[in-house]
Amino acid sequence: MTKEQVLSKLQGSLESGRQPLGVAKEEWLKQLEQEILLISQLNNDVVLKTQRPVKVQPIARVWDSAQQKQTQFACANPLLIFAVEKSLTDIVIGNLPDYHVDNIAIRNRPRSKPVELLIPRLNLYMEI
């Protein structure tokens, strides 16, 4: 995003006269004016980015040996398995070890540029 695009969005919010629920109008206008001042003080060639946080949820990988296919299920809760046959020897349950970033080898990791958070409510960052 460019500096002008962000300023026009903030100016539009300022001129609309609306504020979020639970926030006093004077407080909201003051916050918008501070954000406009912050952005207007930046250099014209600054690179601004919107980076929304990524939500992560646990998954379960289920391997079907008959079809030779793996299926992944999002599992916010424990996975329940209902066995049709009386024998549970075909079902293998594994443990999920702790995540260690040093043990993960990513083949094509994109080089990210360092950023600095400017406006938290907009998830607006500036490249350093």
Side-chain angles (χ1 to χ4, degrees):
M1 299 179 72
T2 65
K3 176 180 168 180
E4 290 75 23
Q5 289 173 326
V6 175
L7 282 174
S8 68
K9 286 184 181 185
L10 290 172
Q11 192 65 35
S13 295
L14 185 66
E15 293 170 359
S16 73
R18 294 180 290 178
Q19 73 271 5
L21 291 174
V23 179
K25 187 169 187 171
E26 297 81 21
E27 184 180 323
W28 176 246
L29 293 175
K30 184 178 177 182
Q31 180 180 347
L32 284 174
E33 289 169 355
Q34 288 174 347
E35 291 171 353
I36 289 171
L37 181 63
L38 173 71
I39 299 299
S40 62
Q41 291 175 345
L42 297 174
N43 293 335
N44 287 334
D45 60 345
V46 70
V47 177
L48 300 172
K49 293 182 175 185
T50 304
Q51 296 180 350
R52 289 182 172 62
V54 178
K55 295 184 180 181
V56 179
Q57 62 182 352
I59 61 167
R61 293 187 178 120
V62 178
W63 175 256
D64 186 353
S65 58
Q67 295 181 357
Q68 293 290 304
K69 181 181 177 185
Q70 174 181 292
T71 307
Q72 294 184 357
F73 297 100
C75 296
N77 295 322
L79 182 64
L80 301 175
I81 301 171
F82 297 97
V84 179
E85 300 175 8
K86 292 182 181 180
S87 171
L88 296 177
T89 58
D90 293 339
I91 298 175
V92 178
I93 298 176
N95 292 326
L96 181 63
D98 290 336
Y99 176 80
H100 296 288
V101 71
D102 299 331
N103 296 340
I104 306 300
I106 299 176
R107 283 179 239 131
N108 297 318
R109 181 186 299 252
R111 295 280 181 201
S112 61
K113 296 179 181 175
V115 292
E116 179 183 326
L117 181 62
L118 289 177
I119 303 176
R121 72 174 183 88
L122 298 176
N123 298 304
L124 185 67
Y125 292 83
M126 170 182 70
E127 278 188 9
I128 298 175

